[in-house]
Amino acid sequence: MRFAFLAACAALFISGLAVSAEAQPAPVVVAPVHYDYRVLANGLKVYAVRDTRSPNVAIQVWYQVGSKDDPVGRSGFAHLFEHMMFKATRNLPPESFDRMTEDVGGNNNASTNDDYTEYHEIVPANYLKTLLWAEAERMSSLVVDEANFKSERDVVEEELRQRILAQPYGRLFGLDLAEVSFGVSPYGRPGIGSIANLDSATLADVQAFHATYYRPDNAVLVVVGDFDPAQLNAWIDQYFGPIAKPAGPIPRVTAVEPERTHPVTIADYEPNTPLPAVLMSYPFPAASSPDMPALIVLDAILSKGESSRLYTNLVYKQQIAQEAFSFQELRQQPGAYAIGAILSEGKTPQQGEQAILVELKRLRDQPVSAAELSRAKNQLVTDTLRQRETDLGQADELETAVVLYGDASKVNRLVSDVQAVTAADIQRVAQKYLGDEHRAVVDYQSDEHKPAGFTPPSPASTIQAQTLTRPADMKIVEAAAEAERIKPPAPGEPVAAPQVETRQTTLANGVHVIVAPLHGVPLVSAELTVDAGAASDPQHLPGVADMASTLMTKGTTTRSAEEIARQIESLGGEIGAGSSYDGSTLSLIIKRDEVEPAMAIFADVARNPVFAPDELDRARQQTLAGLQVAMGDPTRLGDMVAGRALYGAAPYGEPSSGTQESVAKLSHDDVARFHAQWWRPDQATLVLAGDLTPEQGFALAEHLFGDWKPAPGAAPKAPDPVGPIAAPRIVVVDLPHSGQAAVIVSRLAIARDDPRFYQALVADTVLGGGYSGRLNEEIRIKRGLSYGANSRIDFRRAPGPLVASTSTKNESATQVVDLVVAEMKKLGQTQPGDAELTARKAAVVGNFNSAVETTESTASLLSRFELYHVDLGEIGRYADRVKAVTPQQVEAIGAELFDPSKAQIVVVGDASIFLKALQAEHPDVVVIPAADVDLNNASLRKGGS
C-alpha cells in the first residue's frame, strides 16, 4: 500500500532519483540461495553455498541433539556438552578452536536449542581447510576426561547464575516458560538445566552422551563463502569421509504434548523483580506445519515494530506495559508460542493478561487489514535481506531449513510462502492455536507478594526423557602425546579483503555527506549524526540527549508517532535514534526500492520533531521503568556506578540515560532546547551505505537537507567531559539476594584521536579482547569462576574509560578482584610473546573487518570515524597500523594506561557473602546498600556530598 504523501514527495525528486507514476523503482526481489548438496557414505549431510562477496567463509555443523534429548535426571546436559566440544581432541589441546579462529582474525561460537546443538566458525577463507579438519577432529576424536568435564561444569553453573539467578526476569524466561508450557513433551525441561542436575552428572554420563549423539549421520555440515567447490568437496571427503558411522540407532524422544483443553495459570515470585510481568504460552505446531507461514506473519502483526498491535495498544495507548513481546521458537515437534509483557508500575499480571487476551480475540474474530498484512510482509522481506548480507546469516537460514523445516528448499520457498499468506489464513490460524482454552499463564511478581508456603514451579514429573545407555561400540579417546599429534593443515594463500570505497561532499549549509556504495544486497542504511550527546546534557540534568533522541521518532509537525512507525514499517524499514556521550544519531535501514519515501520521513524526523508533552510523559515512564530494572541488575548497576566513581561530577560521569531523579524532572523545553542547539546542519554528518551510487546519495542529501537552516548563532561549546579524576577506591554495592556479583575495574584511558590509539587497542585486546584474552584465560578457562571475563576501552572524543569486568558467584568475588588486578598489572611489566601478540593483532583486524560486513555496520563505522575526527582513509590503513604495534609498545602502554593502582574497583552483589574477605585485603572498602545508591552525585550515596 502506498500513502498519498509519498506520491507528493516523489514528484519533488531531482534527476537520478525521480520517482514518478511512469518510472517506479523495480520491486526488490530476494535472490535465491544457490546451494550444492550431497550425503557422504557415513550419513553426513553436506550443503555448500559459494559467495565471493567477502574474503571469509562460514562453517556450521548442526548436530540433531538438543535439550529435549537430555537424559533422565540430567537436565542441562546437551548444553553442558556444547561447552565440552571446545575442549581437547586427540590432536588438539583445550581451547584450540579459539586459537584457530580468533587468533587468525575470525570467531567461533555455539548454542544449544531444544532440537539441535550448533557450532560455527567464521574465518578468512584461506583457513577453510584448517577448520574443516578441526571440525572433523572433534566429531571423531573428542577427549572427554574428568578435568575438562569439571572445568566446563563450573562454567555452565556460572552461566546459569548469570542468566537465570542474577538478571531480573531470568527465571521467567529461562525456567518458567518451559515449565508452564509442557507436562509431557521433553521441551518442558529448561535447556539451562539446574545446578543439582549438573552436579549429579558423572564422567561416564558425558562420554555415553557424546558417543550416542555426536556422529556423522546425526549432523549437517554447511559451508558458505569464498571457496573452490571441487577443492571443498575433496577436503570434506578427506577429513569427514573416514569417520565411521556407529552401528546403533539414534534414540529419539517422540512424546508430543497433548492438547490443552482448559487454561492453566502458575505464579512465581523473585526478589529481583522491579516490575510485574505476565507471560502466556499457546500450543504451537512443528516448523514443518503448513500453517507456519501464516503464523510467522501473525507474529509480525502482533509484535514486530512500533506499529504492531501489542506495542500500539498495550505500550503506547493504554500504557499498561513498558514492553510487550511475542516470540516463536521453531521446533521439530509441536512446541509453544509465547506472548507477554513487562508491566507498568502499579499494574498487575492479571491486567496484562486481560489486555493481551483482547488482542488475541481481535485476531480470531476479525480479519487483519490489507495494510497490516502488507506491512508485516514487507518487514519480513527486509529481515531476510539483512540475513543474506553475511555468510553466517545464509548458513543459519540453510541449516534452519534442513534441520527444523526438514526441507532445504524451504530456504528459498519461505519468502514466497509468506507472501502468499492471506487475511483469512491469519484468522484461521489464530482461531486454531490461540483459543482461550489453550493458554497457559505465568504471573510473575516480586517476592514481597509471595504467599506463605509458596513452592516455586518446576518441571512436571511426567516429562518424557530417554534413559542414557552406553553404546556397545563406544570408544574412549585419549589425548595423544604432544610429539605424536597430527598438526592441523596449514592455511592457503590469503584472500584480499574488498576495500570500502567512500565519496564525500559538504552541502552549502555545512552538512557533511559520506556515501559508501555496497551492491551485494538491495539494502540502504542511513545515519545522521550530530556532534553532541550525553556529555552535552545540561549540568545536573543527565538524560536530555537520550530523551531528545527517543522523542525524535515520536512525532513531527506533520506526522504523529503512530504515523511515523506505520509509514516506515509499511515500507519494510526500521528507524531509530539514540545517543552516546559524544554524539546523537538517527538511523534507518530500508530496501533499495523504498529509499526515497523512507528518507523523506527520515528527514522530517530529523528536522521537525515536536516533543509533544504526552509523548514526553510516555517516554519518561518507559525510561524510568528501564532504570528501575537496571538498578536491580548487578552488571548494569555496576557499570553506572563505575562511571560515576571514575569521572565524579564531570559529564562523562553522568549516566547517559539519566537517573530516576533527573528523568522525572525533564521538561519539553529541556529536550526542545537541546535539539535546537545541536541538531543543526553545521554539526551534522549524513552517511549513506548500500545499494546506491555516490551521485544518487549526494542528490538525495541535497534534496532532503540542502535547505536545512541552523538556529541563529553558533553552536554552543560543549563542556570538558572529563574533569578531575577521582582518587582510586573500592566501592561495594550491597544487593541482597543477588544471584551473582559483578566485578568492574575501571580507569582513565585515552581519546580516539590519540596517536597511541593502535597501541592501546592492541594492549586492551591482549588483556581482555574475546575468548582468548588473558582475563578470560585466567578467570573462566583455568578456574571456571565466570561465564566470561573481558576488557574494553571506550574510545571517545575525550579520554574514555578502560573497563575490565566479569561476573562470578558471590563467594568468588574477592578472588576475582585479585585476578583482574593482577592481570592488569602484569600487562605493564612484561612484553607479550610474538605468538600471543600476532594472534591478538589478528583478532583486532578481524573485528574491524566485521564492522564493514553489512550496510548497517558500515554506516555506523563511518559515522563514528567522522564523529571522532578520524580520516576515512584510515579504513585502508587500519590493518597495517595494527600489525605495526610492537611488544615494547604494548608493555609501555600497559604500564601507562592499565596500572590498576589508579583504578576504581566496583563490586555489586550480596555483600553478606564476600565483604569480610574483601575487607581483609582492602580495609578501606566503601560499602553502599543498593537502596542508598545515588547516581546523581559523585559520592554515590544518598545524602552524600
Side-chain angles (χ1 to χ4, degrees), residues 738-755:
S738 174
Q740 267 192 328
V743 175
I744 300 104
V745 181
S746 64
R747 55 154 297 167
L748 192 68
I750 58 175
R752 175 59 180 86
D753 63 357
D754 192 293

PDB file of all heavy atoms in Angstrom, residues 738-755:
ATOM      1  N   SER A 738      21.318 -11.163  45.446  1.00  0.00           N
ATOM      2  CA  SER A 738      21.789 -11.182  44.061  1.00  0.00           C
ATOM      3  C   SER A 738      22.371 -12.548  43.734  1.00  0.00           C
ATOM      4  O   SER A 738      23.150 -13.117  44.505  1.00  0.00           O
ATOM      5  CB  SER A 738      22.850 -10.101  43.852  1.00  0.00           C
ATOM      6  OG  SER A 738      23.406 -10.192  42.563  1.00  0.00           O
ATOM      7  N   GLY A 739      22.020 -13.083  42.572  1.00  0.00           N
ATOM      8  CA  GLY A 739      22.493 -14.414  42.190  1.00  0.00           C
ATOM      9  C   GLY A 739      23.961 -14.466  41.854  1.00  0.00           C
ATOM     10  O   GLY A 739      24.558 -15.541  41.838  1.00  0.00           O
ATOM     11  N   GLN A 740      24.566 -13.323  41.550  1.00  0.00           N
ATOM     12  CA  GLN A 740      25.990 -13.240  41.249  1.00  0.00           C
ATOM     13  C   GLN A 740      26.512 -11.887  41.702  1.00  0.00           C
ATOM     14  O   GLN A 740      25.741 -10.970  42.012  1.00  0.00           O
ATOM     15  CB  GLN A 740      26.251 -13.373  39.744  1.00  0.00           C
ATOM     16  CG  GLN A 740      26.541 -14.771  39.260  1.00  0.00           C
ATOM     17  CD  GLN A 740      27.075 -14.767  37.835  1.00  0.00           C
ATOM     18  OE1 GLN A 740      26.733 -13.930  37.015  1.00  0.00           O
ATOM     19  NE2 GLN A 740      27.931 -15.721  37.518  1.00  0.00           N
ATOM     20  N   ALA A 741      27.844 -11.753  41.703  1.00  0.00           N
ATOM     21  CA  ALA A 741      28.486 -10.467  41.945  1.00  0.00           C
ATOM     22  C   ALA A 741      29.119  -9.985  40.646  1.00  0.00           C
ATOM     23  O   ALA A 741      29.786 -10.759  39.950  1.00  0.00           O
ATOM     24  CB  ALA A 741      29.548 -10.585  43.032  1.00  0.00           C
ATOM     25  N   ALA A 742      28.895  -8.724  40.310  1.00  0.00           N
ATOM     26  CA  ALA A 742      29.567  -8.103  39.174  1.00  0.00           C
ATOM     27  C   ALA A 742      30.829  -7.420  39.670  1.00  0.00           C
ATOM     28  O   ALA A 742      30.798  -6.716  40.683  1.00  0.00           O
ATOM     29  CB  ALA A 742      28.650  -7.100  38.495  1.00  0.00           C
ATOM     30  N   VAL A 743      31.927  -7.623  38.961  1.00  0.00           N
ATOM     31  CA  VAL A 743      33.212  -7.010  39.307  1.00  0.00           C
ATOM     32  C   VAL A 743      33.627  -6.108  38.149  1.00  0.00           C
ATOM     33  O   VAL A 743      33.757  -6.580  37.009  1.00  0.00           O
ATOM     34  CB  VAL A 743      34.288  -8.079  39.569  1.00  0.00           C
ATOM     35  CG1 VAL A 743      35.647  -7.424  39.804  1.00  0.00           C
ATOM     36  CG2 VAL A 743      33.895  -8.955  40.743  1.00  0.00           C
ATOM     37  N   ILE A 744      33.823  -4.816  38.426  1.00  0.00           N
ATOM     38  CA  ILE A 744      34.207  -3.856  37.394  1.00  0.00           C
ATOM     39  C   ILE A 744      35.414  -3.078  37.887  1.00  0.00           C
ATOM     40  O   ILE A 744      35.372  -2.471  38.967  1.00  0.00           O
ATOM     41  CB  ILE A 744      33.059  -2.868  37.068  1.00  0.00           C
ATOM     42  CG1 ILE A 744      31.824  -3.624  36.575  1.00  0.00           C
ATOM     43  CG2 ILE A 744      33.501  -1.856  36.023  1.00  0.00           C
ATOM     44  CD1 ILE A 744      30.732  -3.740  37.577  1.00  0.00           C
ATOM     45  N   VAL A 745      36.494  -3.094  37.114  1.00  0.00           N
ATOM     46  CA  VAL A 745      37.690  -2.323  37.419  1.00  0.00           C
ATOM     47  C   VAL A 745      37.869  -1.320  36.284  1.00  0.00           C
ATOM     48  O   VAL A 745      37.978  -1.716  35.117  1.00  0.00           O
ATOM     49  CB  VAL A 745      38.934  -3.221  37.543  1.00  0.00           C
ATOM     50  CG1 VAL A 745      40.165  -2.387  37.898  1.00  0.00           C
ATOM     51  CG2 VAL A 745      38.708  -4.308  38.596  1.00  0.00           C
ATOM     52  N   SER A 746      37.880  -0.014  36.596  1.00  0.00           N
ATOM     53  CA  SER A 746      37.922   0.994  35.537  1.00  0.00           C
ATOM     54  C   SER A 746      38.928   2.089  35.866  1.00  0.00           C
ATOM     55  O   SER A 746      39.144   2.409  37.038  1.00  0.00           O
ATOM     56  CB  SER A 746      36.538   1.600  35.320  1.00  0.00           C
ATOM     57  OG  SER A 746      36.112   2.300  36.469  1.00  0.00           O
ATOM     58  N   ARG A 747      39.502   2.635  34.815  1.00  0.00           N
ATOM     59  CA  ARG A 747      40.414   3.765  34.974  1.00  0.00           C
ATOM     60  C   ARG A 747      40.436   4.559  33.679  1.00  0.00           C
ATOM     61  O   ARG A 747      39.902   4.125  32.653  1.00  0.00           O
ATOM     62  CB  ARG A 747      41.813   3.307  35.369  1.00  0.00           C
ATOM     63  CG  ARG A 747      42.456   2.305  34.450  1.00  0.00           C
ATOM     64  CD  ARG A 747      43.974   2.412  34.544  1.00  0.00           C
ATOM     65  NE  ARG A 747      44.396   3.732  34.101  1.00  0.00           N
ATOM     66  CZ  ARG A 747      45.630   4.233  34.299  1.00  0.00           C
ATOM     67  NH1 ARG A 747      46.516   3.540  34.949  1.00  0.00           N
ATOM     68  NH2 ARG A 747      45.966   5.426  33.831  1.00  0.00           N
ATOM     69  N   LEU A 748      41.018   5.741  33.736  1.00  0.00           N
ATOM     70  CA  LEU A 748      41.020   6.629  32.581  1.00  0.00           C
ATOM     71  C   LEU A 748      41.943   6.093  31.493  1.00  0.00           C
ATOM     72  O   LEU A 748      43.068   5.667  31.766  1.00  0.00           O
ATOM     73  CB  LEU A 748      41.477   8.029  33.009  1.00  0.00           C
ATOM     74  CG  LEU A 748      41.260   9.150  31.992  1.00  0.00           C
ATOM     75  CD1 LEU A 748      39.768   9.408  31.822  1.00  0.00           C
ATOM     76  CD2 LEU A 748      41.970  10.426  32.435  1.00  0.00           C
ATOM     77  N   ALA A 749      41.469   6.141  30.239  1.00  0.00           N
ATOM     78  CA  ALA A 749      42.275   5.698  29.101  1.00  0.00           C
ATOM     79  C   ALA A 749      42.621   6.906  28.233  1.00  0.00           C
ATOM     80  O   ALA A 749      43.057   7.937  28.750  1.00  0.00           O
ATOM     81  CB  ALA A 749      41.523   4.628  28.320  1.00  0.00           C
ATOM     82  N   ILE A 750      42.424   6.824  26.929  1.00  0.00           N
ATOM     83  CA  ILE A 750      42.799   7.903  26.014  1.00  0.00           C
ATOM     84  C   ILE A 750      41.648   8.191  25.064  1.00  0.00           C
ATOM     85  O   ILE A 750      40.693   7.412  24.950  1.00  0.00           O
ATOM     86  CB  ILE A 750      44.060   7.546  25.199  1.00  0.00           C
ATOM     87  CG1 ILE A 750      43.829   6.257  24.399  1.00  0.00           C
ATOM     88  CG2 ILE A 750      45.274   7.429  26.107  1.00  0.00           C
ATOM     89  CD1 ILE A 750      44.980   5.893  23.466  1.00  0.00           C
ATOM     90  N   ALA A 751      41.747   9.297  24.350  1.00  0.00           N
ATOM     91  CA  ALA A 751      40.750   9.658  23.357  1.00  0.00           C
ATOM     92  C   ALA A 751      40.990   8.896  22.057  1.00  0.00           C
ATOM     93  O   ALA A 751      42.084   8.378  21.803  1.00  0.00           O
ATOM     94  CB  ALA A 751      40.799  11.160  23.096  1.00  0.00           C
ATOM     95  N   ARG A 752      39.967   8.852  21.213  1.00  0.00           N
ATOM     96  CA  ARG A 752      40.076   8.115  19.946  1.00  0.00           C
ATOM     97  C   ARG A 752      41.128   8.712  19.033  1.00  0.00           C
ATOM     98  O   ARG A 752      41.793   7.971  18.273  1.00  0.00           O
ATOM     99  CB  ARG A 752      38.709   8.104  19.241  1.00  0.00           C
ATOM    100  CG  ARG A 752      38.700   7.480  17.847  1.00  0.00           C
ATOM    101  CD  ARG A 752      39.159   6.035  17.894  1.00  0.00           C
ATOM    102  NE  ARG A 752      39.166   5.397  16.588  1.00  0.00           N
ATOM    103  CZ  ARG A 752      40.182   5.463  15.720  1.00  0.00           C
ATOM    104  NH1 ARG A 752      41.269   6.160  16.015  1.00  0.00           N
ATOM    105  NH2 ARG A 752      40.116   4.840  14.557  1.00  0.00           N
ATOM    106  N   ASP A 753      41.330  10.018  19.040  1.00  0.00           N
ATOM    107  CA  ASP A 753      42.292  10.617  18.119  1.00  0.00           C
ATOM    108  C   ASP A 753      43.707  10.678  18.690  1.00  0.00           C
ATOM    109  O   ASP A 753      44.594  11.288  18.100  1.00  0.00           O
ATOM    110  CB  ASP A 753      41.828  12.008  17.689  1.00  0.00           C
ATOM    111  CG  ASP A 753      41.731  12.999  18.846  1.00  0.00           C
ATOM    112  OD1 ASP A 753      41.969  12.596  20.000  1.00  0.00           O
ATOM    113  OD2 ASP A 753      41.411  14.173  18.593  1.00  0.00           O
ATOM    114  N   ASP A 754      43.941  10.036  19.826  1.00  0.00           N
ATOM    115  CA  ASP A 754      45.272   9.983  20.414  1.00  0.00           C
ATOM    116  C   ASP A 754      46.188   9.162  19.506  1.00  0.00           C
ATOM    117  O   ASP A 754      45.793   8.103  19.005  1.00  0.00           O
ATOM    118  CB  ASP A 754      45.189   9.339  21.806  1.00  0.00           C
ATOM    119  CG  ASP A 754      46.464   9.497  22.613  1.00  0.00           C
ATOM    120  OD1 ASP A 754      47.493   8.908  22.215  1.00  0.00           O
ATOM    121  OD2 ASP A 754      46.434  10.179  23.646  1.00  0.00           O
ATOM    122  N   PRO A 755      47.422   9.607  19.261  1.00  0.00           N
ATOM    123  CA  PRO A 755      48.328   8.836  18.394  1.00  0.00           C
ATOM    124  C   PRO A 755      48.660   7.455  18.938  1.00  0.00           C
ATOM    125  O   PRO A 755      49.172   6.611  18.202  1.00  0.00           O
ATOM    126  CB  PRO A 755      49.577   9.726  18.311  1.00  0.00           C
ATOM    127  CG  PRO A 755      49.467  10.701  19.437  1.00  0.00           C
ATOM    128  CD  PRO A 755      48.006  10.895  19.681  1.00  0.00           C
TER     129      PRO A 755
END
